[in-house]
Amino acid sequence: MTHTPAASATEAVAPVVLGMTRLIAPRKLPEVTADHRLVGDLGFHSLVLAELGYNLEDLYGLRSLTPEEAMRLERVGDVVGFVVTEVEAGRAALPTDDEVELLLARYDIGGPTA
């Protein structure tokens, strides 16, 4: 089976966004899925939403969102979709494994990647 560029971007982005979301979510769940609501299910509030945004901006080179755009990102899958769209449009770039490791090291959970 061949991968389309969209599938490749999604495959590269989804695990990082899901992992980062699970890592910083105030409400700790054993697993975070694309269907989880940031505020309702995971307990995000303005400061944690900002932390997620800043981390993803740094990691992917994303632009800052307008408040209107940010309000539309209700579920983890919405965040994944936004990042994938920006990467596919050339407005953001996939991070290297080292860049992901450096970000995880900020939370003192670095280690070998699977």
Side-chain angles (χ1 to χ4, degrees), residues 32-52:
V32 171
T33 69
D35 290 330
H36 280 114
R37 293 172 303 168
L38 294 166
V39 174
D41 298 327
L42 300 172
F44 274 69
H45 52 77
S46 59
L47 292 176
V48 183
L49 287 167
E51 181 179 3
L52 178 63

Side-chain angles (χ1 to χ4, degrees), residues 10-91:
T10 300
E11 290 169 1
V13 168
V16 174
V17 172
L18 289 167
M20 177 54 57
T21 303
R22 182 174 179 265
L23 178 66
I24 66 173
R27 189 169 301 131
K28 300 301 181 196
L29 300 178
E31 179 184 10
V32 171
T33 69
D35 290 330
H36 280 114
R37 293 172 303 168
L38 294 166
V39 174
D41 298 327
L42 300 172
F44 274 69
H45 52 77
S46 59
L47 292 176
V48 183
L49 287 167
E51 181 179 3
L52 178 63
Y54 293 137
N55 281 324
L56 294 175
E57 284 174 16
D58 284 349
L59 194 58
Y60 290 95
L62 293 168
R63 63 181 171 81
S64 295
L65 295 172
T66 66
E68 294 79 17
E69 289 173 317
M71 293 298 293
R72 289 192 294 263
L73 303 178
E74 295 179 13
R75 297 185 182 274
V76 178
D78 298 334
V79 177
V80 171
F82 173 77
V83 175
V84 167
T85 298
E86 294 296 295
V87 167
E88 289 174 345
R91 295 185 294 261

